[in-house]
């Protein structure tokens, strides 16, 4: 069984439409795929309509959250699966974040324009096409303008956190997000906890505390994790009784990652589905 529980579509900053994502998942030989766009469930309906026979779809989202430790604020991505998309706190927070992403994306563009970089707000809004704006959308505008060759190069040179053009956004408090997903019947899994950025802040102690608040799992097998990080996460998950998932974090052409590059075990998926409430069920069979 190939099970990929973390992918993005054009509903956020991927380049495949939700329908294309479904077909690409089938073509890649996946049995199960989760659609987990940043801060939105906007791709769920199209994914449901386009789901090919034999492909099971887990509906989810990747929540932008922040963790404050020792006066440092770090960004943590939190995957939420099978939550009720009509849950009022989630609807309100996703609306706030969409506005926040627009403000922040346009501030980055404004700084670049002031420096003579030939992109425009209108161009970035057109590329995002109604999706919550992410830095990859600005990256694509920079590629189109010939400023860089790839979105990856845009991140390396102009969009990274240390870049003078960087502008932060106000993300949801991590503990609040964990509780919000649980209250909506969903299961939360920390995305790539040993990738650069949040790795040092997400200690075993912090993860244990989040587990007490309802955290369901850790994404262990992720392209950004080395063997040491994976082994450490497996140890923490065993201590806390957390699920351990594997996923590609596919973004279409924005990143050079293949669907199904990493996979989750079927027993883990069964446990995840069993832990979720009844509001949102998997589309298709979980064998
Ligand atoms: P934002 O949500 O606007 O802060 O942007 C973060 C998004 O950019 C995440 O979806 C990342 O996967 C993506 N990202 C980070 N680094 C790169 C890169 N080098 N190339 C393409 N996308 C990236
Ligand atoms: Zn992601």
């Amino acid at each position: 069984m190939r099970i990929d529980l973390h992918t993005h579509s054009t509903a956020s900053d991927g380049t495949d439409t939700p329908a294309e994502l479904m077909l690409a998942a089938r073509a890649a030989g996946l049995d199960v795929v989760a659609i987990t766009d940043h801060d939105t469930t906007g791709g769920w309906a199209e994914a449901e309509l386009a789901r090919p026979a034999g492909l099971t779809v887990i509906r989810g989202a990747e929540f932008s959250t922040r963790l404050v430790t020792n006066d440092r604020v770090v960004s943590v991505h939190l995957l939420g699966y099978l939550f009720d998309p009509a849950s009022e706190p989630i609807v309100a927070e996703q609306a706030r974040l969409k506005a926040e992403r627009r403000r922040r994306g346009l501030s980055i563009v404004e700084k670049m324009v002031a420096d003579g970089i030939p992109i425009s707000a209108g161009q970035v809004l057109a590329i995002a096409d109604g999706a919550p704006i992410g830095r990859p959308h600005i990256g694509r505008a920079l590629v189109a303008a010939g400023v860089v060759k790839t979105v990856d190069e845009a991140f390396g040179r102009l969009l990274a956190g240390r870049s003078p053009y960087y502008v932060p956004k106000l993300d949801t408090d991590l503990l609040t997000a964990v509780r919000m997903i649980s209250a909506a019947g969903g299961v939360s899994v920390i995305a790539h906890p040993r990738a650069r950025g949040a790795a040092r802040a997400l200690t075993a102690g912090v993860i244990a505390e989040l587990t007490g608040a309802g955290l369901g799992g850790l994404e262990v097998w992720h392209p950004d994790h080395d063997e040491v990080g994976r082994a450490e996460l497996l140890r923490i998950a065993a201590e806390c009784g957390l699920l351990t998932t594997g996923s590609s974090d596919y973004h279409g052409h924005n990143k050079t990652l293949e669907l199904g590059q990493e996979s989750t075990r079927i027993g883990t998926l069964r446990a995840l589905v069993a832990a979720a409430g009844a509001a949102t069920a998997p589309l298709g069979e979980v064998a």
Side-chain angles (χ1 to χ4, degrees):
M1 294 278 275
R2 296 302 292 173
I3 301 172
D4 190 337
L5 293 184
H6 183 171
T7 74
H8 296 267
S9 76
T10 51
S12 65
D13 59 8
T15 57
D16 291 0
T17 63
E20 287 166 349
L21 176 64
M22 294 300 110
L23 298 181
R26 200 72 193 116
L30 294 184
D31 302 288
V32 182
V33 69
I35 177 166
T36 54
D37 280 302
H38 294 284
D39 306 311
T40 182
T41 57
W44 286 18
E46 187 184 323
E48 180 168 7
L49 280 175
R51 183 176 69 89
L55 180 71
T56 298
V57 175
I58 303 293
R59 288 166 289 179
E62 187 171 17
F63 292 68
S64 301
T65 81
R66 73 198 157 98
L67 170 65
V68 184
T69 50
N70 301 328
D71 293 337
R72 238 182 99 225
V73 181
V74 298
S75 153
V76 175
H77 286 179
L78 184 68
L79 294 157
Y81 297 108
L82 301 173
F83 57 87
D84 179 359
S87 162
E88 200 274 324
I90 290 182
V91 169
E93 193 54 9
Q94 291 191 335
R96 185 193 68 77
L97 265 164
K98 186 170 187 189
E100 176 68 357
R101 280 180 167 280
R102 182 186 166 99
R103 175 202 65 77
R104 176 269 202 146
L106 296 184
S107 307
I108 293 174
V109 171
E110 209 172 283
K111 283 188 173 190
M112 289 181 169
V113 170
D115 233 10
I117 296 176
I119 61 169
S120 71
Q123 186 189 8
V124 171
L125 290 171
I127 290 170
D129 194 22
I133 296 174
R135 283 176 285 164
H137 296 123
I138 304 172
R140 279 162 63 192
L142 292 163
V143 172
V147 177
V148 289
K149 288 213 167 53
T150 63
V151 173
D152 189 46
E153 186 188 343
F155 266 88
R157 288 182 38 206
L158 301 162
L159 293 169
R162 61 179 183 283
S163 157
Y165 304 113
Y166 182 77
V167 177
K169 61 186 183 343
L170 184 57
D171 293 332
T172 314
D173 170 66
L174 174 57
L175 196 62
T176 305
V178 165
R179 291 190 175 126
M180 207 161 67
I181 292 166
S182 296
V187 178
S188 57
V189 172
I190 301 180
H192 41 74
R194 283 296 170 267
R196 271 190 302 141
R200 270 188 301 129
L202 285 168
T203 60
V206 167
I207 291 170
E209 189 188 330
L210 293 167
T211 304
L215 178 69
L218 301 176
E219 189 177 60
V220 171
W221 296 277
H222 183 279
D224 289 353
H225 286 167
D226 62 16
E227 286 308 319
V228 174
R230 291 170 194 224
E232 191 199 358
L233 290 170
L234 282 176
R235 204 171 57 240
I236 296 172
E239 281 165 16
C240 294
L242 290 166
L243 300 172
T244 51
T245 65
S247 309
S248 66
D249 206 352
Y250 175 77
H251 279 72
H253 307 309
N254 277 348
K255 277 188 163 183
T256 53
L257 296 165
E258 301 298 333
L259 273 167
Q261 186 168 328
E262 307 277 357
S263 180
T264 295
R265 289 179 299 237
I266 182 65
T268 304
L269 177 64
R270 285 197 201 107
L272 191 152
V273 171
T280 302
L283 300 170
E285 294 296 308
V286 174

